[in-house]
Amino acid sequence: MIACPSPKCLSPNVADLPHYWQSLPAESPLKDRYAPPARPKVSYWAALATIAVGVLVLIEGGVLLGLLLVAGGAGWGAVVYKAVQWAEAQRAAWEQSHVCLACTGTF
């Protein structure tokens, strides 16, 4: 049985955070407090377009500019990828969380 880890509480009245959040009415002020982390709105299109333009510039003979565009596009793609990975890790942690119904703490 899971109990609240707070030394001040130690209540066995614990619920899964995602299940508890879904059961809250829409107008509840707790709905925002316990909400899951937002999924990032990302797109790889800008990075891919920058890489494609860089390749075209390389083909046309602009080596330095082409390489800068390709590297910039790849760097932007890596930044976007890391942001998505971080957000998904936060969401996975939220899905495994619990809420104490006595002291309202999460763990």
Side-chain angles (χ1 to χ4, degrees):
M1 172 172 253
I2 298 175
C4 180
S6 171
K8 295 178 183 176
C9 181
L10 299 173
S11 172
N13 196 8
V14 173
D16 289 330
L17 184 57
H19 177 72
Y20 178 71
W21 177 75
Q22 288 176 345
S23 69
L24 291 171
E27 62 274 357
S28 172
L30 296 176
K31 195 76 168 176
D32 288 337
R33 178 178 174 188
Y34 295 124
R39 293 184 189 259
K41 292 179 174 46
V42 297
S43 175
Y44 291 102
W45 288 113
L48 291 173
T50 304
I51 291 171
V53 169
V55 169
L56 287 175
V57 170
L58 277 170
I59 291 170
E60 295 296 321
V63 176
L64 184 59
L65 181 59
L67 288 175
L68 283 173
L69 286 170
V70 169
W76 181 250
V79 167
V80 170
Y81 177 78
K82 281 299 218 182
V84 168
Q85 294 302 313
W86 182 81
E88 290 302 319
Q90 295 297 316
R91 193 162 183 88
W94 178 83
E95 289 174 356
Q96 299 298 318
S97 296
H98 296 87
V99 60
C100 175
L101 301 176
C103 70
T104 69
T106 58
F107 58 97

